Amino acid sequence: MNALDGIRILDLSRVLAGPWCTQTLADLGADVVKVERPKGASHPGGDDTRGWGPPFLKDRDGRDTAEAAYYLGANRNKRSITCDIAHPDGQALIRELVAHADVFVENYKVGDMARYGLDFPRLVAINPKLVYCSVTGFGQTGPYKDRAGYDFAIQAMGGLMSVTGERDDLPGGGPQKVGVAVADLFTGLYATVAIQAALRHAERTGQGQHIDMALLDTQVAMLANLGANYLVRGRDDGKVPGRAGNAHINIVPYQVFEVAPDAAGHAQHIILAVGNDSQFAKFCEVAGRPELARDERFALNQNRVRHRDVLVPMLEQILLTRHKADWLAALEAAKVPCGPINNLAEVFEDPQVQHRAMVHRWNHPMADAVDLVASPMKLSLTPVRCDLPPPTLGQHTQEVLADWLGLPPAACQERLSALQAQGIV
């Protein structure tokens, strides 16, 4: 049993934000049908990310397939059908499926769905309880609504790059994007929450609704404490939060520190994340400098923030006196938040990551074993699904037509053959 058993989702989204949302819903048990463009003479068909490699999944003979790792990472637990929504008969098929859906997700440009006759007013007329979620860069309204939205641009426009990266006055200073597409990922997760809220409303009232998700809205929302800092005081004081490298704007010490080099002379680092005054006192004890915690400049976090430029250089010299393993063992024993800076190989070798089963092995139609990052959601009574590997293009078209439309085998085959003859699926 899964939490969202019985929920049917028609997924016309591509790339990352929309697929991340529907993958999360699929993990929770929803029947997600991914609708993709069929192959054509001048295009390979399918979600663009199928071709966003290398790396690509290797088949049983060790040859690259057409399934990029990028696509595999955002489309587990779904079924795939192909349908050309530019063709009137393809649009008709989607409307027929909508009558049996609970949720419709799309991330086309504003106005495209209306051109195809698949916009919210027309689909909710078919299915009054339909939850219709649109994911775009800038939303359905406003002066930028017709622009295409890309995570990189949104990180820039939404302020994230202005607070990410080393300080401008230090080597390597300047704006940086985050290493993964966080605006896409956060938008996908916010969309997941909104869809479940709208489903609850539909259950109570019988009314569907339109969810308007925008990457820029999400990026602004996820500025979190930095956005609050600016609105509460910075705007009036003329202070705009800027880049602080690996330091924290509101907490000290909370950053990367270099420690003694390893045996080969290579530089080593740890992160120190002291979140309160008690933890700072414990750190000072471990460091052999208990007097720092009694210094009125450093005893309280607010004063440590004010005297950051005095305290941090002192701590930098202290941290250089011991090796990484020594610091981590002593600080962890004292319950001072700290940690190593792992690369991805070290992440997946970490005993805690392994214990938490954050890698799941799938049997794929093209390969016997495919390791992918697992869902982090661990529900005690309704665990996430692990039964459908990321689908190949159109793998389930016939199955979904039979399942959702209730077609008997002969009628389903006849319908499928007719659609294939027209190049619609």
Side-chain angles (χ1 to χ4, degrees), residues 209-281:
Q209 61 182 299
H210 188 198
I211 299 169
D212 177 7
M213 293 299 310
L215 270 68
L216 182 60
D217 294 353
T218 299
Q219 180 60 80
V220 173
M222 60 184 277
L223 291 173
N225 60 295
L226 295 183
N229 286 353
Y230 175 70
L231 293 174
V232 172
R233 284 294 299 271
R235 183 167 52 184
D236 292 337
D237 295 345
K239 294 181 179 179
V240 179
R243 287 176 289 278
N246 289 307
H248 195 292
I249 296 295
N250 298 113
I251 308 173
V252 174
Y254 200 106
Q255 64 185 76
V256 172
F257 285 97
E258 185 174 353
V259 295
D262 64 15
H266 300 136
Q268 298 291 299
H269 300 83
I270 65 169
I271 65 100
L272 191 60
V274 170
N276 58 49
D277 300 329
S278 173
Q279 291 173 354
F280 182 67

Side-chain angles (χ1 to χ4, degrees), residues 28-346:
L28 291 170
D31 179 12
V32 175
V33 172
K34 185 177 180 70
V35 180
E36 301 187 76
R37 184 181 185 183
K39 292 180 181 179
S42 59
H43 55 81
D47 190 317
D48 291 344
T49 61
R50 287 183 181 275
W52 283 11
F56 292 94
L57 174 68
K58 290 190 179 294
D59 64 18
R60 292 176 178 83
D61 297 320
R63 296 171 298 196
D64 279 352
T65 67
E67 309 291 283
Y70 194 120
Y71 163 80
L72 296 173
N75 289 284
R76 62 176 176 259
N77 288 320
K78 304 178 186 180
R79 297 192 285 177
S80 169
I81 70 171
T82 52
C83 181
D84 183 0
I85 65 170
H87 193 287
D89 287 345
Q91 298 160 14
L93 176 59
I94 296 299
R95 286 192 286 270
E96 193 174 352
L97 291 168
V98 160
H100 304 276
D102 299 289
V103 180
F104 183 92
V105 180
E106 59 88 12
N107 64 345
Y108 283 73
K109 291 180 183 177
V110 173
D112 279 359
M113 289 287 99
R115 288 196 299 108
Y116 296 136
L118 302 176
D119 53 323
F120 174 68
R122 276 179 271 199
L123 295 191
V124 80
I126 298 170
N127 183 348
K129 291 181 66 175
L130 185 69
V131 173
Y132 187 114
C133 182
S134 298
V135 180
T136 58
F138 299 97
Q140 301 294 305
T141 61
Y144 301 163
K145 67 181 178 62
D146 295 321
R147 295 186 186 180
Y150 298 95
D151 178 274
F152 192 10
I154 297 298
Q155 287 195 38
M157 295 178 66
L160 186 60
M161 290 179 64
S162 77
V163 296
T164 303
E166 189 53 88
R167 284 169 27 188
D168 290 342
D169 60 335
L170 294 177
Q176 290 285 324
K177 73 177 182 66
V178 179
V180 293
V182 290
D184 275 332
L185 298 174
F186 266 70
T187 303
L189 292 176
Y190 271 110
T192 301
V193 174
I195 286 170
Q196 291 181 91
L199 282 170
R200 178 72 174 120
H201 177 78
E203 288 172 359
R204 291 200 309 263
T205 68
Q207 293 179 309
Q209 61 182 299
H210 188 198
I211 299 169
D212 177 7
M213 293 299 310
L215 270 68
L216 182 60
D217 294 353
T218 299
Q219 180 60 80
V220 173
M222 60 184 277
L223 291 173
N225 60 295
L226 295 183
N229 286 353
Y230 175 70
L231 293 174
V232 172
R233 284 294 299 271
R235 183 167 52 184
D236 292 337
D237 295 345
K239 294 181 179 179
V240 179
R243 287 176 289 278
N246 289 307
H248 195 292
I249 296 295
N250 298 113
I251 308 173
V252 174
Y254 200 106
Q255 64 185 76
V256 172
F257 285 97
E258 185 174 353
V259 295
D262 64 15
H266 300 136
Q268 298 291 299
H269 300 83
I270 65 169
I271 65 100
L272 191 60
V274 170
N276 58 49
D277 300 329
S278 173
Q279 291 173 354
F280 182 67
K282 292 177 182 178
F283 165 78
C284 293
E285 289 288 344
V286 171
R289 297 291 302 275
E291 73 279 5
L292 292 178
R294 298 189 293 269
D295 189 316
E296 64 179 14
R297 296 172 298 171
F298 312 138
L300 301 178
N301 179 71
Q302 58 186 299
N303 291 334
R304 292 195 295 276
V305 172
R306 293 188 179 102
H307 296 94
R308 180 196 304 266
D309 292 342
V310 176
L311 177 61
V312 169
M314 296 170 63
L315 299 184
E316 288 174 337
Q317 293 304 309
I318 293 170
L319 269 294
L320 282 170
T321 63
R322 294 163 67 176
H323 294 284
K324 180 168 72 172
D326 293 339
W327 277 120
L328 292 176
L331 292 171
E332 287 167 3
K335 295 183 168 33
V336 176
C338 62
I341 300 173
N342 290 336
N343 61 33
L344 293 196
E346 291 166 328

